[in-house]
Short mmCIF file of all heavy atoms in Angstrom, two decimals:
data_model
loop_
_atom_site.label_atom_id
_atom_site.label_comp_id
_atom_site.label_asym_id
_atom_site.label_seq_id
_atom_site.Cartn_x
_atom_site.Cartn_y
_atom_site.Cartn_z
N ASN A 19 -0.49 18.83 1.96
CA ASN A 19 -0.17 20.04 2.73
C ASN A 19 -1.45 20.65 3.28
O ASN A 19 -2.53 20.05 3.18
CB ASN A 19 0.66 21.02 1.89
CG ASN A 19 -0.13 21.70 0.79
OD1 ASN A 19 -1.36 21.56 0.66
ND2 ASN A 19 0.57 22.42 -0.05
N GLU A 20 -1.36 21.84 3.85
CA GLU A 20 -2.52 22.48 4.49
C GLU A 20 -3.64 22.82 3.50
O GLU A 20 -4.77 23.05 3.91
CB GLU A 20 -2.08 23.72 5.26
CG GLU A 20 -1.52 24.85 4.41
CD GLU A 20 -0.05 24.68 4.04
OE1 GLU A 20 0.60 23.71 4.50
OE2 GLU A 20 0.46 25.52 3.28
N ASN A 21 -3.32 22.83 2.20
CA ASN A 21 -4.35 23.10 1.17
C ASN A 21 -4.79 21.83 0.45
O ASN A 21 -5.40 21.90 -0.62
CB ASN A 21 -3.81 24.11 0.15
CG ASN A 21 -3.53 25.45 0.78
OD1 ASN A 21 -4.36 25.98 1.52
ND2 ASN A 21 -2.36 26.00 0.54
N ASN A 22 -4.46 20.67 1.04
CA ASN A 22 -4.79 19.35 0.48
C ASN A 22 -4.12 19.10 -0.87
O ASN A 22 -4.64 18.39 -1.73
CB ASN A 22 -6.30 19.14 0.36
CG ASN A 22 -6.94 18.89 1.71
OD1 ASN A 22 -6.27 18.48 2.66
ND2 ASN A 22 -8.22 19.14 1.81
N ILE A 23 -2.95 19.69 -1.06
CA ILE A 23 -2.17 19.47 -2.27
C ILE A 23 -1.12 18.40 -1.98
O ILE A 23 -0.45 18.42 -0.96
CB ILE A 23 -1.52 20.77 -2.76
CG1 ILE A 23 -2.66 21.75 -3.09
CG2 ILE A 23 -0.57 20.52 -3.92
CD1 ILE A 23 -2.32 22.94 -3.88
N VAL A 24 -0.99 17.45 -2.91
CA VAL A 24 -0.04 16.35 -2.74
C VAL A 24 1.38 16.89 -2.85
O VAL A 24 1.78 17.46 -3.86
CB VAL A 24 -0.28 15.26 -3.83
CG1 VAL A 24 0.76 14.15 -3.68
CG2 VAL A 24 -1.69 14.70 -3.72
N VAL A 25 2.14 16.67 -1.76
CA VAL A 25 3.53 17.13 -1.71
C VAL A 25 4.51 15.98 -1.57
O VAL A 25 5.72 16.21 -1.59
CB VAL A 25 3.75 18.16 -0.58
CG1 VAL A 25 2.97 19.43 -0.86
CG2 VAL A 25 3.37 17.58 0.77
N GLY A 26 4.01 14.75 -1.43
CA GLY A 26 4.89 13.59 -1.32
C GLY A 26 4.14 12.29 -1.50
O GLY A 26 2.93 12.23 -1.31
N ILE A 27 4.89 11.25 -1.90
CA ILE A 27 4.33 9.92 -2.06
C ILE A 27 5.19 8.96 -1.26
O ILE A 27 6.41 8.99 -1.36
CB ILE A 27 4.30 9.49 -3.54
CG1 ILE A 27 3.53 10.54 -4.36
CG2 ILE A 27 3.70 8.11 -3.70
CD1 ILE A 27 3.63 10.35 -5.85
N MET A 28 4.54 8.15 -0.43
CA MET A 28 5.26 7.23 0.43
C MET A 28 4.91 5.78 0.10
O MET A 28 3.82 5.51 -0.38
CB MET A 28 4.93 7.48 1.91
CG MET A 28 5.55 8.73 2.49
SD MET A 28 4.70 10.23 2.08
CE MET A 28 3.11 10.03 2.82
N SER A 29 5.82 4.86 0.39
CA SER A 29 5.59 3.44 0.12
C SER A 29 5.13 2.71 1.37
O SER A 29 5.57 1.59 1.62
CB SER A 29 6.86 2.82 -0.46
OG SER A 29 7.91 2.94 0.48
N PHE A 30 4.26 3.34 2.14
CA PHE A 30 3.68 2.73 3.33
C PHE A 30 2.27 3.28 3.53
O PHE A 30 1.94 4.31 2.97
CB PHE A 30 4.56 2.95 4.56
CG PHE A 30 4.97 4.39 4.79
CD1 PHE A 30 4.12 5.29 5.41
CD2 PHE A 30 6.22 4.82 4.38
CE1 PHE A 30 4.51 6.61 5.63
CE2 PHE A 30 6.61 6.14 4.60
CZ PHE A 30 5.74 7.03 5.21
N PRO A 31 1.46 2.59 4.31
CA PRO A 31 0.09 3.06 4.55
C PRO A 31 0.06 4.41 5.28
O PRO A 31 1.04 4.79 5.91
CB PRO A 31 -0.53 1.98 5.43
CG PRO A 31 0.39 0.84 5.39
CD PRO A 31 1.74 1.35 5.00
N PRO A 32 -1.05 5.13 5.18
CA PRO A 32 -1.16 6.41 5.89
C PRO A 32 -0.91 6.24 7.38
O PRO A 32 -1.35 5.27 7.98
CB PRO A 32 -2.62 6.82 5.65
CG PRO A 32 -3.09 6.02 4.49
CD PRO A 32 -2.28 4.78 4.48
N GLN A 33 -0.18 7.21 7.95
CA GLN A 33 0.16 7.14 9.36
C GLN A 33 -0.27 8.38 10.14
O GLN A 33 -0.10 8.44 11.34
CB GLN A 33 1.66 6.87 9.53
CG GLN A 33 2.05 5.55 8.94
CD GLN A 33 3.50 5.21 9.16
OE1 GLN A 33 4.24 5.95 9.79
NE2 GLN A 33 3.91 4.09 8.64
N ASP A 34 -0.81 9.38 9.45
CA ASP A 34 -1.37 10.54 10.14
C ASP A 34 -2.50 11.13 9.32
O ASP A 34 -2.78 10.70 8.22
CB ASP A 34 -0.31 11.57 10.53
CG ASP A 34 0.26 12.34 9.36
OD1 ASP A 34 -0.47 12.65 8.41
OD2 ASP A 34 1.46 12.67 9.40
N LYS A 35 -3.16 12.14 9.86
CA LYS A 35 -4.38 12.68 9.24
C LYS A 35 -4.12 13.42 7.94
O LYS A 35 -5.05 13.63 7.18
CB LYS A 35 -5.10 13.60 10.23
CG LYS A 35 -4.30 14.83 10.63
CD LYS A 35 -5.05 15.67 11.64
CE LYS A 35 -4.23 16.84 12.07
NZ LYS A 35 -4.61 18.06 11.43
N ASN A 36 -2.88 13.77 7.64
CA ASN A 36 -2.55 14.45 6.40
C ASN A 36 -2.06 13.50 5.31
O ASN A 36 -1.44 13.93 4.35
CB ASN A 36 -1.50 15.54 6.64
CG ASN A 36 -2.04 16.67 7.48
OD1 ASN A 36 -3.24 16.95 7.44
ND2 ASN A 36 -1.20 17.32 8.23
N GLN A 37 -2.35 12.21 5.48
CA GLN A 37 -1.96 11.22 4.48
C GLN A 37 -3.19 10.46 4.01
O GLN A 37 -4.09 10.18 4.79
CB GLN A 37 -0.94 10.25 5.04
CG GLN A 37 0.38 10.93 5.41
CD GLN A 37 1.35 9.99 6.07
OE1 GLN A 37 1.03 8.87 6.44
NE2 GLN A 37 2.58 10.45 6.23
N ILE A 38 -3.23 10.15 2.71
CA ILE A 38 -4.34 9.46 2.09
C ILE A 38 -3.79 8.21 1.40
O ILE A 38 -2.78 8.27 0.71
CB ILE A 38 -5.02 10.35 1.03
CG1 ILE A 38 -5.52 11.65 1.64
CG2 ILE A 38 -6.16 9.61 0.31
CD1 ILE A 38 -6.62 11.53 2.62
N ALA A 39 -4.46 7.06 1.58
CA ALA A 39 -4.04 5.82 0.93
C ALA A 39 -4.32 5.90 -0.58
O ALA A 39 -5.34 6.43 -1.01
CB ALA A 39 -4.79 4.63 1.53
N VAL A 40 -3.38 5.39 -1.37
CA VAL A 40 -3.55 5.27 -2.80
C VAL A 40 -3.15 3.84 -3.19
O VAL A 40 -2.31 3.24 -2.54
CB VAL A 40 -2.75 6.32 -3.59
CG1 VAL A 40 -3.30 7.72 -3.35
CG2 VAL A 40 -1.27 6.28 -3.24
N PRO A 41 -3.74 3.29 -4.27
CA PRO A 41 -3.49 1.90 -4.61
C PRO A 41 -2.11 1.60 -5.19
O PRO A 41 -1.64 0.47 -5.14
CB PRO A 41 -4.58 1.58 -5.63
CG PRO A 41 -4.96 2.90 -6.21
CD PRO A 41 -4.75 3.90 -5.12
N GLU A 42 -1.46 2.62 -5.78
CA GLU A 42 -0.15 2.37 -6.41
C GLU A 42 0.69 3.63 -6.33
O GLU A 42 0.18 4.73 -6.10
CB GLU A 42 -0.34 1.95 -7.86
CG GLU A 42 -1.04 2.99 -8.70
CD GLU A 42 -1.37 2.49 -10.10
OE1 GLU A 42 -1.40 1.28 -10.32
OE2 GLU A 42 -1.61 3.34 -10.97
N PHE A 43 2.00 3.46 -6.57
CA PHE A 43 2.91 4.60 -6.62
C PHE A 43 2.64 5.35 -7.92
O PHE A 43 2.79 4.78 -8.99
CB PHE A 43 4.37 4.13 -6.56
CG PHE A 43 5.33 5.28 -6.47
CD1 PHE A 43 5.76 5.72 -5.24
CD2 PHE A 43 5.80 5.90 -7.61
CE1 PHE A 43 6.65 6.79 -5.15
CE2 PHE A 43 6.69 6.97 -7.52
CZ PHE A 43 7.12 7.40 -6.28
N ASP A 44 2.21 6.59 -7.82
CA ASP A 44 1.86 7.38 -9.00
C ASP A 44 2.35 8.80 -8.79
O ASP A 44 1.67 9.63 -8.19
CB ASP A 44 0.34 7.33 -9.19
CG ASP A 44 -0.11 8.05 -10.46
OD1 ASP A 44 0.72 8.68 -11.14
OD2 ASP A 44 -1.32 8.00 -10.74
N ASP A 45 3.52 9.11 -9.35
CA ASP A 45 4.09 10.45 -9.13
C ASP A 45 3.35 11.53 -9.91
O ASP A 45 3.59 12.71 -9.72
CB ASP A 45 5.59 10.48 -9.38
CG ASP A 45 5.98 10.12 -10.80
OD1 ASP A 45 5.09 9.80 -11.62
OD2 ASP A 45 7.19 10.16 -11.10
N SER A 46 2.40 11.16 -10.77
CA SER A 46 1.60 12.18 -11.46
C SER A 46 0.62 12.86 -10.50
O SER A 46 0.02 13.87 -10.84
CB SER A 46 0.85 11.57 -12.65
OG SER A 46 -0.18 10.71 -12.22
N LEU A 47 0.47 12.31 -9.29
CA LEU A 47 -0.40 12.92 -8.29
C LEU A 47 0.25 14.16 -7.64
O LEU A 47 -0.44 14.98 -7.06
CB LEU A 47 -0.77 11.92 -7.21
CG LEU A 47 -1.60 10.70 -7.66
CD1 LEU A 47 -1.77 9.73 -6.52
CD2 LEU A 47 -2.93 11.15 -8.21
N LEU A 48 1.57 14.25 -7.72
CA LEU A 48 2.28 15.39 -7.12
C LEU A 48 1.74 16.70 -7.67
O LEU A 48 1.61 16.88 -8.88
CB LEU A 48 3.77 15.30 -7.37
CG LEU A 48 4.52 14.24 -6.55
CD1 LEU A 48 5.93 14.06 -7.09
CD2 LEU A 48 4.53 14.59 -5.10
N GLY A 49 1.39 17.61 -6.77
CA GLY A 49 0.90 18.92 -7.17
C GLY A 49 -0.61 18.98 -7.36
O GLY A 49 -1.16 20.06 -7.51
N LEU A 50 -1.28 17.82 -7.34
CA LEU A 50 -2.74 17.82 -7.47
C LEU A 50 -3.37 18.06 -6.11
O LEU A 50 -2.77 17.82 -5.06
CB LEU A 50 -3.23 16.50 -8.05
CG LEU A 50 -2.82 16.20 -9.50
CD1 LEU A 50 -3.41 14.87 -9.93
CD2 LEU A 50 -3.25 17.31 -10.43
N GLN A 51 -4.61 18.52 -6.11
CA GLN A 51 -5.33 18.78 -4.87
C GLN A 51 -6.35 17.66 -4.64
O GLN A 51 -7.01 17.21 -5.57
CB GLN A 51 -6.05 20.12 -4.97
CG GLN A 51 -6.65 20.60 -3.68
CD GLN A 51 -7.13 22.04 -3.77
OE1 GLN A 51 -7.51 22.51 -4.84
NE2 GLN A 51 -7.10 22.73 -2.66
N TYR A 52 -6.47 17.23 -3.39
CA TYR A 52 -7.42 16.19 -3.01
C TYR A 52 -8.70 16.86 -2.55
O TYR A 52 -8.73 17.53 -1.52
CB TYR A 52 -6.81 15.33 -1.90
CG TYR A 52 -7.63 14.13 -1.54
CD1 TYR A 52 -7.70 13.03 -2.40
CD2 TYR A 52 -8.31 14.06 -0.34
CE1 TYR A 52 -8.44 11.91 -2.07
CE2 TYR A 52 -9.06 12.95 0.00
CZ TYR A 52 -9.12 11.88 -0.87
OH TYR A 52 -9.84 10.76 -0.53
N VAL A 53 -9.78 16.68 -3.35
CA VAL A 53 -11.06 17.33 -3.06
C VAL A 53 -12.17 16.30 -3.23
O VAL A 53 -12.32 15.69 -4.29
CB VAL A 53 -11.32 18.51 -4.04
CG1 VAL A 53 -12.67 19.17 -3.76
CG2 VAL A 53 -10.20 19.53 -3.96
N ASN A 54 -12.96 16.10 -2.18
CA ASN A 54 -14.10 15.18 -2.20
C ASN A 54 -13.74 13.80 -2.76
O ASN A 54 -14.45 13.24 -3.57
CB ASN A 54 -15.25 15.78 -3.02
CG ASN A 54 -15.80 17.04 -2.38
OD1 ASN A 54 -15.84 17.16 -1.16
ND2 ASN A 54 -16.20 17.99 -3.19
N GLY A 55 -12.59 13.28 -2.33
CA GLY A 55 -12.20 11.93 -2.72
C GLY A 55 -11.55 11.82 -4.07
O GLY A 55 -11.28 10.72 -4.54
N GLN A 56 -11.26 12.94 -4.74
CA GLN A 56 -10.63 12.91 -6.05
C GLN A 56 -9.42 13.83 -6.08
O GLN A 56 -9.35 14.83 -5.36
CB GLN A 56 -11.63 13.36 -7.13
CG GLN A 56 -12.82 12.44 -7.29
CD GLN A 56 -13.67 12.88 -8.46
OE1 GLN A 56 -13.93 14.06 -8.63
NE2 GLN A 56 -14.09 11.92 -9.26
N PHE A 57 -8.47 13.50 -6.96
CA PHE A 57 -7.32 14.33 -7.18
C PHE A 57 -7.57 15.21 -8.39
O PHE A 57 -7.84 14.71 -9.48
CB PHE A 57 -6.06 13.47 -7.39
CG PHE A 57 -5.68 12.69 -6.17
CD1 PHE A 57 -6.06 11.36 -6.03
CD2 PHE A 57 -4.97 13.28 -5.14
CE1 PHE A 57 -5.72 10.64 -4.90
CE2 PHE A 57 -4.62 12.56 -4.00
CZ PHE A 57 -5.00 11.24 -3.88
N VAL A 58 -7.54 16.52 -8.20
CA VAL A 58 -7.86 17.49 -9.24
C VAL A 58 -6.77 18.55 -9.33
O VAL A 58 -6.00 18.73 -8.39
CB VAL A 58 -9.25 18.15 -9.01
CG1 VAL A 58 -10.35 17.11 -9.00
CG2 VAL A 58 -9.24 18.91 -7.70
#
Side-chain angles (χ1 to χ4, degrees):
N19 70 7
E20 64 278 357
N21 296 312
N22 287 338
I23 298 194
V24 177
V25 295
I27 303 171
M28 287 80 62
S29 60
F30 51 81
Q33 297 184 2
D34 71 37
K35 63 182 178 101
N36 292 332
Q37 296 175 350
I38 303 293
V40 292
E42 61 187 19
F43 186 93
D44 183 355
D45 62 358
S46 70
L47 296 175
L48 286 169
L50 295 181
Q51 189 171 29
Y52 187 73
V53 179
N54 296 326
Q56 296 186 316
F57 294 98
V58 299

